[in-house]
Amino acid sequence: MRKSQKDKSILLWLISFAKPFKIWILLAFFAMLIVASFELLIPINIKQVIDNIVESKSSLNSIKNHSYYVLFLIIGVFIFSSIFSYILNITGQKIMRNIRDSVFDHVLLLPQNFFDKQSVGRITTRVTNDVNALNEFYTNVLVQFLKDILVIFGIVYVMFNYNSSLTFLMIFITISIICFAFLYRKRLRRVYTKLRLTIAKLNSFINESIRGINLLKIYNKSDQNFTRFEKLSNENFAANMEQMYTFAIFRPFIEFMSVFSTAAIIWYGGREIISGNLSVGELLAILFFLRMIFRPILDLADKYNILQSALAASENLYEIVQVNREEYGEKIFPSDFKSIKFKNVWFSYKDDNWVLKDFNLEIKKGDSVLLLGSTGSGKTTIINLLLGFYQPQKGEILIDDIPLKNYNFFSIRKNFSVIMQDTPLFNIVLDDENINSISSVKSVGEKQVSNVKRILEKPFHVIILDEATSNLDLDLEKDIKDYLENIKSKTSILIAHRLNLIRDEDKILILHNGRLIETGKHIDLISLDKEYSKIFKFNEEFFQSKL
Ligand SMILES: Nc1ncnc2c1ncn2[C@@H]1O[C@H](COP(=O)(O)OP(=O)(O)O)[C@@H](O)[C@H]1O
Ligand SMILES: [Mg+2]
């Protein structure tokens, strides 16, 4: 996609979130128009009062009325500013919530390979920080900026009616300050980027250190770790200092310019008054205008920064939303299925590092399959493919001779009970029961027990245990074995590197280098006296030597 075209679609995407709130945004816009015009009317009124006094045209009564009018305008500015920031902030928060919900909803349904490429930290940042960056943009920058622009145009228009050369003087001063602000902006951005980078580094370092605190202690690396931390901490300090210096020059310089230009305008305006081209009231109003112009300029650099990060943030978010969700069909998994087949399946996670090579397998309903193979031989990959987490590059996976991709993945995953070797215990996400025990620390084995229990409680048709018993003691493993005995009629796929769970009727598959090299029952494979019998003998010897 071309850059400008992409920007356009990002913008449309952002606007689509604002659409439901268009009446509120319109209201905020009107409130803003009122604030802008009231702000302009205040100096204009003051000008009239002063000029009337100077020209001795005013009665006490009219001075009183004018003062009331100014008071009314000031109160109006106060009320409408509140209304408009109230509306904006509420809508902004609502829009953010919707964007956050929609991005996360999308992320949850993304295919597995998206998560292989992106780190958890990055996705987290997208869903939280990036959305917040957008919020600041909506509420603090966008409408505020429009208001400032309107006020500035109004001021220039009114001033031109008072005195054109003075207006030019002010425009000249203002433009030079804007130029300065923009030059500065570059430096500010560099400083900000550096600061953010050092904070990110510091955070991830602390994170890793605390997670691995026991390793640090075991390897006696605490001191070394602290030295590295000190270095990062100092980098952060230096970046903060740089930011401080940058601001220490920027803000005071603008303040100085503000006073300086006040002096310049009094000097030039005074001469214009004497030569009759300007009234005293007009000079006073212009001094007011000057103040009103300086505030937005002062904020310009900040706002530009917010704009920048909002643009970057929306691009990041948009990129995530653009990633296609998992694709699947409509067919519901048949509970009385006959067979699951892998037919000449080739699969690689990346490029042509084939994990499965021309892999064939047939599992019939009611089969008990035991899959053996060394670490990294592709056992888990087979399960990943079966559950539709990844698509094979070549070949097909068929359920009752219908390609897997025609099935609704939800119905497949619902009918498969899967316990993976690294199934974590979701304290919060999976069940409510555990919410109260978040703080209870569980050992890996304990976690596995509760996982296994929970997963076994759901109704299912195929059970898959992927090295699920590796952290269990022999008693619990025995329980699982008994359990499997009880559900013999169901289809089961067992992956194990210990042979404790083997039963006579199991169909044993030996996976090697992405291919099945041996299949058969225990007795047959033993008499074949090849790979399986080697594994079996080794296991026996190993456990005997332990007893
Ligand atoms: N998400 C992934 N991205 C890239 N490569 C992977 C991924 N998961 C596994 N692999 C690679 O695929 C191969 C098979 O892995 P796996 O199926 O997990 O083996 P097993 O379960 O038999 O130990 C390994 O070489 C592993 O490094
Ligand atoms: Mg595995």
Side-chain angles (χ1 to χ4, degrees), residues 35 80 142-143 158 166 208 289 314 320 339 445 475 532 546:
V35 173
F80 283 98
L142 191 63
V143 180
V158 175
L166 205 53
E208 259 174 46
F289 287 148
S314 51
I320 289 192
S339 72
D475 279 350
Y532 174 75
K546 287 245 177 164

Side-chain angles (χ1 to χ4, degrees), residues 374-381 420-421 466-467 495:
S374 53
T375 306
S377 58
K379 304 183 294 294
T380 303
T381 304
M420 295 290 221
Q421 68 204 103
D466 184 354
E467 303 189 11
I495 296 177

Side-chain angles (χ1 to χ4, degrees), residues 25 140 194 279 293 307 330 370 460 494:
I25 293 171
N140 296 340
K194 207 154 142 192
S279 73
I293 283 189
L307 176 72
E330 292 294 316
L370 182 74
F460 61 87
L494 238 68

Side-chain angles (χ1 to χ4, degrees), residues 112-113 115-117 347-350 353-356 371-384 390 421 466-467 495 511:
Q112 207 62 24
N113 58 12
F115 301 97
D116 292 345
K117 285 181 226 144
F347 175 76
S348 79
Y349 289 98
K350 240 182 15 221
N353 295 325
W354 298 109
V355 176
L356 297 181
L371 194 57
L372 295 172
S374 53
T375 306
S377 58
K379 304 183 294 294
T380 303
T381 304
I382 295 171
I383 307 302
N384 284 341
Y390 300 88
Q421 68 204 103
D466 184 354
E467 303 189 11
I495 296 177
L511 189 68

Side-chain angles (χ1 to χ4, degrees), residues 198-359:
T198 58
I199 292 174
K201 271 199 211 161
L202 209 54
N203 278 348
S204 65
F205 190 81
I206 295 175
N207 197 318
E208 259 174 46
S209 305
I210 304 295
R211 274 165 186 264
I213 190 90
N214 48 356
L215 283 180
L216 284 178
K217 286 178 181 165
I218 290 169
Y219 292 109
N220 230 334
K221 294 273 189 203
S222 296
D223 286 349
Q224 204 177 331
N225 200 48
F226 185 71
T227 318
R228 282 170 62 198
F229 176 78
E230 257 184 328
K231 196 171 151 263
L232 292 178
S233 180
N234 279 333
E235 275 175 21
N236 179 252
F237 174 78
N240 266 313
M241 282 294 132
E242 201 177 336
Q243 187 193 29
M244 201 254 323
Y245 284 127
T246 314
F247 273 113
I249 297 173
F250 184 69
R251 299 248 164 203
F253 178 77
I254 300 274
E255 283 301 327
F256 164 76
M257 283 305 289
S258 147
V259 178
F260 170 79
S261 36
T262 309
I265 281 177
I266 291 177
W267 168 73
Y268 190 82
R271 288 171 43 149
E272 291 287 284
I273 291 175
I274 289 170
S275 46
N277 295 330
L278 190 76
S279 73
V280 177
E282 282 166 352
L283 179 60
L284 201 69
I286 288 174
L287 289 175
F288 256 94
F289 287 148
L290 194 65
R291 281 268 140 200
M292 284 163 67
I293 283 189
F294 262 89
R295 199 172 18 95
I297 293 179
L298 203 62
D299 293 342
L300 202 65
D302 282 351
K303 285 190 179 142
Y304 185 80
N305 235 300
I306 296 176
L307 176 72
Q308 285 287 322
S309 49
L311 287 181
S314 51
E315 194 169 341
N316 290 334
L317 290 173
Y318 187 69
E319 266 167 20
I320 289 192
V321 180
Q322 283 304 98
V323 178
N324 285 333
R325 291 184 171 187
E326 276 184 338
E327 281 173 23
Y328 49 81
E330 292 294 316
K331 246 188 122 40
I332 300 298
F333 181 79
S335 50
D336 58 345
F337 75 97
K338 292 184 186 59
S339 72
I340 299 171
K341 272 186 222 152
F342 281 67
K343 223 169 119 189
N344 309 103
V345 167
W346 288 75
F347 175 76
S348 79
Y349 289 98
K350 240 182 15 221
D351 308 327
D352 46 283
N353 295 325
W354 298 109
V355 176
L356 297 181
K357 297 166 201 155
D358 199 21
F359 178 78

